[in-house]
Amino acid sequence: MHVFTYGSLMYRQVWDRVVAGGYQARAATIRGFVRVRVGNEVYPALLRGPAQSAVPGVLYLDVSASDLATLDRFEDEGKTYGRIPVSVELDDASALDACAYLFLHPDRVDGSPWEPERFEAEGLQHFVNTYLRDRAP
């Protein structure tokens, strides 16, 4: 299964701490979704949005069933995020089927866009040092 990531898992220092396998990654985009900030957190939420909206991210190819189960635990699948099927656009305009984790609590978002640059500068190291310590396998 291909996995589209749009937040902390886009970063190899996070991805590689969560999964066991080494996977090829490609820049990709999904349409019809928005990426917004979760209140009082450094990680984002993916929510359904207008058809013309687009979320850039990273697509990991051919993720194993065991690593997918690990990702489900990491994302608290079914409680905090739900794994859903998505169509992903690659840079060469081709499309692939994948899955992504949709945030299940829209009442907890603050509505402002989640910015990767801000996460890199202000939140990534904190996320690695605290959240990954508590949540990664």
Side-chain angles (χ1 to χ4, degrees), residues 1-53:
M1 163 100 31
H2 306 314
V3 177
F4 176 79
T5 62
Y6 55 86
S8 62
L9 288 168
M10 292 190 302
Y11 298 90
R12 280 288 185 177
Q13 60 263 54
V14 175
W15 177 263
D16 289 344
R17 293 255 319 258
V18 175
V19 300
Y23 299 100
Q24 289 185 326
R26 304 262 316 262
T29 302
I30 59 173
R31 302 207 179 274
F33 294 89
V34 294
R35 177 176 55 198
V36 294
R37 294 178 56 86
V38 174
N40 299 318
E41 298 291 354
V42 297
Y43 57 83
L46 182 72
L47 300 174
R48 295 189 190 279
Q52 70 274 15
S53 60

Short mmCIF file of all heavy atoms in Angstrom, two decimals, residues 1-53:
data_model
loop_
_atom_site.label_atom_id
_atom_site.label_comp_id
_atom_site.label_asym_id
_atom_site.label_seq_id
_atom_site.Cartn_x
_atom_site.Cartn_y
_atom_site.Cartn_z
N MET A 1 0.84 -1.17 0.00
CA MET A 1 0.00 0.00 0.00
C MET A 1 0.89 1.24 0.00
O MET A 1 1.88 1.30 0.72
CB MET A 1 -0.90 -0.03 1.24
CG MET A 1 -1.54 1.28 1.60
SD MET A 1 -3.26 1.59 1.15
CE MET A 1 -4.06 0.05 1.16
N HIS A 2 0.53 2.23 -0.80
CA HIS A 2 1.22 3.52 -0.79
C HIS A 2 0.60 4.39 0.30
O HIS A 2 -0.62 4.35 0.52
CB HIS A 2 1.08 4.23 -2.13
CG HIS A 2 1.50 3.39 -3.32
ND1 HIS A 2 2.67 2.67 -3.35
CD2 HIS A 2 0.90 3.19 -4.50
CE1 HIS A 2 2.77 2.05 -4.51
NE2 HIS A 2 1.71 2.34 -5.23
N VAL A 3 1.44 5.18 0.97
CA VAL A 3 0.96 6.02 2.07
C VAL A 3 1.33 7.48 1.77
O VAL A 3 2.51 7.80 1.61
CB VAL A 3 1.56 5.59 3.42
CG1 VAL A 3 1.10 6.52 4.53
CG2 VAL A 3 1.19 4.15 3.74
N PHE A 4 0.30 8.33 1.70
CA PHE A 4 0.50 9.76 1.51
C PHE A 4 0.63 10.41 2.88
O PHE A 4 -0.23 10.23 3.74
CB PHE A 4 -0.67 10.38 0.74
CG PHE A 4 -0.55 11.87 0.60
CD1 PHE A 4 0.29 12.42 -0.35
CD2 PHE A 4 -1.26 12.71 1.43
CE1 PHE A 4 0.42 13.80 -0.48
CE2 PHE A 4 -1.15 14.09 1.32
CZ PHE A 4 -0.30 14.63 0.36
N THR A 5 1.71 11.18 3.07
CA THR A 5 1.93 11.89 4.33
C THR A 5 1.96 13.38 4.05
O THR A 5 2.42 13.83 3.00
CB THR A 5 3.24 11.44 4.99
OG1 THR A 5 4.34 11.74 4.13
CG2 THR A 5 3.22 9.95 5.28
N TYR A 6 1.49 14.16 5.00
CA TYR A 6 1.32 15.61 4.80
C TYR A 6 1.80 16.42 6.00
O TYR A 6 1.74 17.64 5.97
CB TYR A 6 -0.16 15.91 4.55
CG TYR A 6 -1.06 15.38 5.65
CD1 TYR A 6 -1.30 16.13 6.79
CD2 TYR A 6 -1.57 14.09 5.57
CE1 TYR A 6 -2.07 15.62 7.82
CE2 TYR A 6 -2.35 13.59 6.59
CZ TYR A 6 -2.59 14.37 7.71
OH TYR A 6 -3.36 13.84 8.74
N GLY A 7 2.27 15.76 7.05
CA GLY A 7 2.69 16.46 8.27
C GLY A 7 4.02 15.94 8.75
O GLY A 7 4.97 15.80 7.98
N SER A 8 4.09 15.58 10.01
CA SER A 8 5.36 15.14 10.61
C SER A 8 5.97 13.95 9.90
O SER A 8 7.19 13.84 9.81
CB SER A 8 5.16 14.84 12.10
OG SER A 8 4.24 13.77 12.27
N LEU A 9 5.13 13.05 9.38
CA LEU A 9 5.67 11.85 8.72
C LEU A 9 6.31 12.15 7.36
O LEU A 9 6.95 11.26 6.79
CB LEU A 9 4.57 10.79 8.57
CG LEU A 9 4.16 10.10 9.87
CD1 LEU A 9 2.88 9.30 9.68
CD2 LEU A 9 5.28 9.22 10.40
N MET A 10 6.18 13.36 6.86
CA MET A 10 6.89 13.73 5.63
C MET A 10 8.40 13.77 5.87
O MET A 10 9.18 13.68 4.94
CB MET A 10 6.48 15.13 5.15
CG MET A 10 5.09 15.26 4.64
SD MET A 10 4.80 16.86 3.82
CE MET A 10 5.18 18.06 5.08
N TYR A 11 8.79 13.92 7.11
CA TYR A 11 10.20 14.11 7.46
C TYR A 11 10.84 12.77 7.81
O TYR A 11 10.34 12.03 8.65
CB TYR A 11 10.32 15.09 8.63
CG TYR A 11 9.76 16.44 8.25
CD1 TYR A 11 8.41 16.73 8.46
CD2 TYR A 11 10.55 17.37 7.60
CE1 TYR A 11 7.88 17.95 8.06
CE2 TYR A 11 10.03 18.59 7.20
CZ TYR A 11 8.69 18.87 7.43
OH TYR A 11 8.18 20.07 7.02
N ARG A 12 11.94 12.47 7.13
CA ARG A 12 12.60 11.17 7.30
C ARG A 12 12.97 10.91 8.76
O ARG A 12 12.91 9.77 9.22
CB ARG A 12 13.86 11.09 6.44
CG ARG A 12 13.57 10.75 5.00
CD ARG A 12 13.15 9.31 4.87
NE ARG A 12 13.00 8.99 3.46
CZ ARG A 12 12.71 7.79 3.01
NH1 ARG A 12 12.55 6.79 3.84
NH2 ARG A 12 12.58 7.59 1.74
N GLN A 13 13.37 11.93 9.51
CA GLN A 13 13.75 11.69 10.90
C GLN A 13 12.56 11.25 11.75
O GLN A 13 12.74 10.63 12.78
CB GLN A 13 14.48 12.87 11.53
CG GLN A 13 13.71 14.17 11.57
CD GLN A 13 14.05 15.09 10.42
OE1 GLN A 13 13.96 14.70 9.27
NE2 GLN A 13 14.40 16.32 10.72
N VAL A 14 11.35 11.53 11.30
CA VAL A 14 10.15 11.02 11.96
C VAL A 14 9.77 9.67 11.36
O VAL A 14 9.62 8.67 12.07
CB VAL A 14 8.98 12.03 11.85
CG1 VAL A 14 7.71 11.45 12.43
CG2 VAL A 14 9.34 13.36 12.51
N TRP A 15 9.60 9.63 10.03
CA TRP A 15 9.20 8.40 9.34
C TRP A 15 10.08 7.22 9.73
O TRP A 15 9.58 6.14 10.06
CB TRP A 15 9.23 8.65 7.83
CG TRP A 15 8.90 7.45 7.00
CD1 TRP A 15 9.78 6.59 6.42
CD2 TRP A 15 7.59 6.96 6.67
NE1 TRP A 15 9.11 5.60 5.73
CE2 TRP A 15 7.77 5.81 5.87
CE3 TRP A 15 6.30 7.39 6.95
CZ2 TRP A 15 6.71 5.08 5.36
CZ3 TRP A 15 5.23 6.66 6.43
CH2 TRP A 15 5.43 5.52 5.66
N ASP A 16 11.40 7.42 9.69
CA ASP A 16 12.33 6.33 9.95
C ASP A 16 12.31 5.85 11.40
O ASP A 16 12.72 4.74 11.68
CB ASP A 16 13.75 6.72 9.55
CG ASP A 16 13.94 6.81 8.04
OD1 ASP A 16 13.08 6.27 7.30
OD2 ASP A 16 14.92 7.43 7.60
N ARG A 17 11.83 6.67 12.31
CA ARG A 17 11.69 6.25 13.71
C ARG A 17 10.40 5.48 13.94
O ARG A 17 10.28 4.77 14.93
CB ARG A 17 11.72 7.46 14.65
CG ARG A 17 13.04 8.18 14.72
CD ARG A 17 13.87 7.95 15.98
NE ARG A 17 13.21 7.93 17.25
CZ ARG A 17 13.20 8.93 18.12
NH1 ARG A 17 13.77 10.08 17.83
NH2 ARG A 17 12.61 8.77 19.29
N VAL A 18 9.43 5.64 13.04
CA VAL A 18 8.13 4.99 13.22
C VAL A 18 8.07 3.64 12.51
O VAL A 18 7.59 2.67 13.08
CB VAL A 18 6.99 5.92 12.74
CG1 VAL A 18 5.64 5.21 12.79
CG2 VAL A 18 6.96 7.20 13.57
N VAL A 19 8.57 3.57 11.29
CA VAL A 19 8.47 2.33 10.50
C VAL A 19 9.81 1.59 10.49
O VAL A 19 10.86 2.18 10.71
CB VAL A 19 8.00 2.61 9.05
CG1 VAL A 19 6.63 3.28 9.05
CG2 VAL A 19 9.01 3.43 8.29
N ALA A 20 9.74 0.30 10.18
CA ALA A 20 10.94 -0.53 10.15
C ALA A 20 11.58 -0.58 8.77
O ALA A 20 12.80 -0.66 8.63
CB ALA A 20 10.62 -1.95 10.62
N GLY A 21 10.75 -0.55 7.71
CA GLY A 21 11.26 -0.71 6.35
C GLY A 21 11.80 0.57 5.76
O GLY A 21 11.51 1.66 6.22
N GLY A 22 12.63 0.41 4.72
CA GLY A 22 13.12 1.55 3.96
C GLY A 22 12.27 1.68 2.69
O GLY A 22 12.13 0.69 1.95
N TYR A 23 11.70 2.83 2.46
CA TYR A 23 10.76 2.99 1.35
C TYR A 23 11.17 4.14 0.45
O TYR A 23 11.68 5.16 0.93
CB TYR A 23 9.34 3.25 1.89
CG TYR A 23 8.84 2.12 2.73
CD1 TYR A 23 8.87 2.19 4.11
CD2 TYR A 23 8.37 0.95 2.14
CE1 TYR A 23 8.43 1.14 4.89
CE2 TYR A 23 7.93 -0.11 2.92
CZ TYR A 23 7.96 -0.01 4.28
OH TYR A 23 7.53 -1.06 5.05
N GLN A 24 10.89 3.95 -0.84
CA GLN A 24 11.07 5.06 -1.78
C GLN A 24 10.00 6.10 -1.48
O GLN A 24 8.87 5.76 -1.11
CB GLN A 24 10.91 4.59 -3.21
CG GLN A 24 12.05 3.74 -3.70
CD GLN A 24 11.87 3.42 -5.18
OE1 GLN A 24 10.77 3.26 -5.67
NE2 GLN A 24 12.99 3.32 -5.88
N ALA A 25 10.37 7.36 -1.68
CA ALA A 25 9.44 8.46 -1.43
C ALA A 25 9.40 9.37 -2.65
O ALA A 25 10.41 9.55 -3.34
CB ALA A 25 9.88 9.24 -0.20
N ARG A 26 8.22 9.91 -2.91
CA ARG A 26 8.02 10.83 -4.04
C ARG A 26 7.21 12.03 -3.56
O ARG A 26 6.31 11.88 -2.74
CB ARG A 26 7.22 10.15 -5.16
CG ARG A 26 7.78 8.87 -5.71
CD ARG A 26 8.57 8.99 -6.98
NE ARG A 26 8.05 9.83 -8.02
CZ ARG A 26 7.37 9.42 -9.08
NH1 ARG A 26 7.08 8.13 -9.23
NH2 ARG A 26 7.00 10.27 -10.01
N ALA A 27 7.52 13.20 -4.09
CA ALA A 27 6.68 14.36 -3.84
C ALA A 27 5.32 14.11 -4.49
O ALA A 27 5.24 13.53 -5.58
CB ALA A 27 7.33 15.61 -4.44
N ALA A 28 4.27 14.50 -3.80
CA ALA A 28 2.92 14.22 -4.30
C ALA A 28 1.94 15.25 -3.75
O ALA A 28 2.27 16.00 -2.82
CB ALA A 28 2.50 12.82 -3.89
N THR A 29 0.74 15.25 -4.32
CA THR A 29 -0.32 16.19 -3.91
C THR A 29 -1.64 15.45 -3.91
O THR A 29 -1.88 14.59 -4.77
CB THR A 29 -0.39 17.38 -4.90
OG1 THR A 29 0.89 18.02 -4.93
CG2 THR A 29 -1.46 18.37 -4.50
N ILE A 30 -2.51 15.80 -2.96
CA ILE A 30 -3.89 15.33 -3.01
C ILE A 30 -4.80 16.55 -3.11
O ILE A 30 -4.48 17.62 -2.61
CB ILE A 30 -4.28 14.45 -1.81
CG1 ILE A 30 -4.10 15.17 -0.48
CG2 ILE A 30 -3.49 13.15 -1.83
CD1 ILE A 30 -4.63 14.38 0.71
N ARG A 31 -5.93 16.37 -3.78
CA ARG A 31 -6.89 17.46 -3.99
C ARG A 31 -8.17 17.16 -3.22
O ARG A 31 -8.52 16.02 -2.98
CB ARG A 31 -7.17 17.63 -5.47
CG ARG A 31 -5.88 17.93 -6.24
CD ARG A 31 -6.11 18.71 -7.52
NE ARG A 31 -4.82 18.97 -8.15
CZ ARG A 31 -4.03 20.00 -7.85
NH1 ARG A 31 -4.39 20.85 -6.95
NH2 ARG A 31 -2.88 20.16 -8.48
N GLY A 32 -8.86 18.24 -2.87
CA GLY A 32 -10.12 18.11 -2.15
C GLY A 32 -9.95 18.01 -0.64
O GLY A 32 -10.88 17.64 0.07
N PHE A 33 -8.77 18.37 -0.17
CA PHE A 33 -8.46 18.33 1.27
C PHE A 33 -7.74 19.62 1.66
O PHE A 33 -7.18 20.32 0.81
CB PHE A 33 -7.56 17.14 1.60
CG PHE A 33 -8.22 15.81 1.39
CD1 PHE A 33 -8.14 15.17 0.16
CD2 PHE A 33 -8.92 15.21 2.41
CE1 PHE A 33 -8.76 13.95 -0.04
CE2 PHE A 33 -9.54 13.98 2.22
CZ PHE A 33 -9.47 13.35 0.99
N VAL A 34 -7.74 19.91 2.96
CA VAL A 34 -6.97 21.02 3.52
C VAL A 34 -6.14 20.49 4.68
O VAL A 34 -6.50 19.51 5.33
CB VAL A 34 -7.87 22.19 3.99
CG1 VAL A 34 -8.58 22.84 2.81
CG2 VAL A 34 -8.88 21.73 5.04
N ARG A 35 -5.00 21.15 4.92
CA ARG A 35 -4.11 20.81 6.03
C ARG A 35 -4.12 22.00 6.98
O ARG A 35 -3.72 23.10 6.60
CB ARG A 35 -2.70 20.54 5.48
CG ARG A 35 -1.68 20.24 6.54
CD ARG A 35 -0.34 19.89 5.94
NE ARG A 35 0.14 20.92 5.04
CZ ARG A 35 1.09 20.72 4.12
NH1 ARG A 35 1.67 19.56 3.98
NH2 ARG A 35 1.47 21.71 3.34
N VAL A 36 -4.58 21.78 8.20
CA VAL A 36 -4.73 22.87 9.16
C VAL A 36 -4.07 22.50 10.49
O VAL A 36 -3.78 21.33 10.75
CB VAL A 36 -6.23 23.22 9.38
CG1 VAL A 36 -6.84 23.79 8.11
CG2 VAL A 36 -7.01 22.01 9.87
N ARG A 37 -3.88 23.52 11.30
CA ARG A 37 -3.26 23.33 12.61
C ARG A 37 -4.26 22.71 13.59
O ARG A 37 -5.43 23.06 13.60
CB ARG A 37 -2.77 24.67 13.16
CG ARG A 37 -1.63 25.27 12.34
CD ARG A 37 -1.20 26.62 12.89
NE ARG A 37 -0.82 26.58 14.29
CZ ARG A 37 0.38 26.27 14.75
NH1 ARG A 37 1.35 25.99 13.89
NH2 ARG A 37 0.64 26.26 16.02
N VAL A 38 -3.76 21.81 14.41
CA VAL A 38 -4.53 21.28 15.53
C VAL A 38 -4.23 22.18 16.72
O VAL A 38 -3.07 22.52 16.98
CB VAL A 38 -4.12 19.82 15.84
CG1 VAL A 38 -4.82 19.32 17.10
CG2 VAL A 38 -4.43 18.92 14.65
N GLY A 39 -5.27 22.60 17.43
CA GLY A 39 -5.07 23.50 18.57
C GLY A 39 -4.06 22.97 19.57
O GLY A 39 -4.12 21.80 19.96
N ASN A 40 -3.11 23.80 19.96
CA ASN A 40 -2.09 23.49 20.97
C ASN A 40 -1.20 22.30 20.62
O ASN A 40 -0.66 21.65 21.52
CB ASN A 40 -2.73 23.26 22.34
CG ASN A 40 -3.47 24.48 22.82
OD1 ASN A 40 -2.98 25.60 22.68
ND2 ASN A 40 -4.65 24.29 23.37
N GLU A 41 -1.05 22.00 19.34
CA GLU A 41 -0.18 20.90 18.90
C GLU A 41 0.72 21.40 17.76
O GLU A 41 0.41 22.40 17.13
CB GLU A 41 -0.99 19.70 18.40
CG GLU A 41 -1.90 19.08 19.43
CD GLU A 41 -1.15 18.35 20.55
OE1 GLU A 41 0.08 18.22 20.48
OE2 GLU A 41 -1.83 17.91 21.49
N VAL A 42 1.81 20.68 17.50
CA VAL A 42 2.69 21.06 16.39
C VAL A 42 2.38 20.28 15.12
O VAL A 42 2.86 20.62 14.05
CB VAL A 42 4.19 20.89 16.75
CG1 VAL A 42 4.58 21.83 17.88
CG2 VAL A 42 4.53 19.45 17.07
N TYR A 43 1.58 19.20 15.24
CA TYR A 43 1.26 18.38 14.08
C TYR A 43 -0.06 18.86 13.46
O TYR A 43 -0.87 19.50 14.11
CB TYR A 43 1.20 16.90 14.46
CG TYR A 43 0.23 16.57 15.56
CD1 TYR A 43 -1.13 16.39 15.30
CD2 TYR A 43 0.66 16.43 16.87
CE1 TYR A 43 -2.03 16.09 16.30
CE2 TYR A 43 -0.23 16.12 17.89
CZ TYR A 43 -1.57 15.96 17.59
OH TYR A 43 -2.46 15.66 18.60
N PRO A 44 -0.28 18.53 12.17
CA PRO A 44 -1.47 19.02 11.47
C PRO A 44 -2.63 18.03 11.45
O PRO A 44 -2.49 16.86 11.82
CB PRO A 44 -0.96 19.23 10.05
CG PRO A 44 0.01 18.11 9.88
CD PRO A 44 0.69 17.96 11.23
N ALA A 45 -3.73 18.55 10.96
CA ALA A 45 -4.91 17.75 10.67
C ALA A 45 -5.17 17.82 9.18
O ALA A 45 -5.01 18.88 8.56
CB ALA A 45 -6.12 18.30 11.43
N LEU A 46 -5.58 16.70 8.61
CA LEU A 46 -6.06 16.67 7.23
C LEU A 46 -7.57 16.57 7.30
O LEU A 46 -8.10 15.68 7.98
CB LEU A 46 -5.49 15.45 6.50
CG LEU A 46 -5.88 15.33 5.03
CD1 LEU A 46 -5.14 16.39 4.19
CD2 LEU A 46 -5.56 13.93 4.50
N LEU A 47 -8.25 17.51 6.64
CA LEU A 47 -9.70 17.54 6.60
C LEU A 47 -10.16 17.64 5.16
O LEU A 47 -9.43 18.15 4.30
CB LEU A 47 -10.25 18.74 7.37
CG LEU A 47 -9.91 18.83 8.86
CD1 LEU A 47 -10.41 20.16 9.43
CD2 LEU A 47 -10.49 17.66 9.63
N ARG A 48 -11.36 17.18 4.90
CA ARG A 48 -11.93 17.36 3.56
C ARG A 48 -12.14 18.85 3.34
O ARG A 48 -12.50 19.58 4.25
CB ARG A 48 -13.23 16.59 3.43
CG ARG A 48 -13.00 15.09 3.52
CD ARG A 48 -14.23 14.28 3.18
NE ARG A 48 -14.03 12.88 3.50
CZ ARG A 48 -13.39 12.01 2.75
NH1 ARG A 48 -12.86 12.40 1.61
NH2 ARG A 48 -13.25 10.75 3.12
N GLY A 49 -11.89 19.28 2.10
CA GLY A 49 -12.02 20.69 1.76
C GLY A 49 -12.65 20.86 0.40
O GLY A 49 -13.15 19.89 -0.19
N PRO A 50 -12.62 22.08 -0.11
CA PRO A 50 -13.17 22.34 -1.45
C PRO A 50 -12.43 21.51 -2.50
O PRO A 50 -11.25 21.21 -2.36
CB PRO A 50 -12.92 23.83 -1.66
CG PRO A 50 -12.62 24.39 -0.32
CD PRO A 50 -12.07 23.28 0.51
N ALA A 51 -13.13 21.18 -3.57
CA ALA A 51 -12.55 20.35 -4.64
C ALA A 51 -11.26 20.94 -5.19
O ALA A 51 -10.35 20.20 -5.57
CB ALA A 51 -13.56 20.15 -5.76
N GLN A 52 -11.16 22.26 -5.25
CA GLN A 52 -9.98 22.89 -5.84
C GLN A 52 -8.80 23.00 -4.86
O GLN A 52 -7.70 23.35 -5.25
CB GLN A 52 -10.33 24.28 -6.39
CG GLN A 52 -10.63 25.33 -5.34
CD GLN A 52 -12.09 25.34 -4.86
OE1 GLN A 52 -12.84 24.40 -5.10
NE2 GLN A 52 -12.47 26.41 -4.19
N SER A 53 -9.01 22.67 -3.58
CA SER A 53 -7.91 22.76 -2.62
C SER A 53 -6.91 21.63 -2.85
O SER A 53 -7.25 20.57 -3.36
CB SER A 53 -8.44 22.75 -1.19
OG SER A 53 -9.15 21.56 -0.94
#
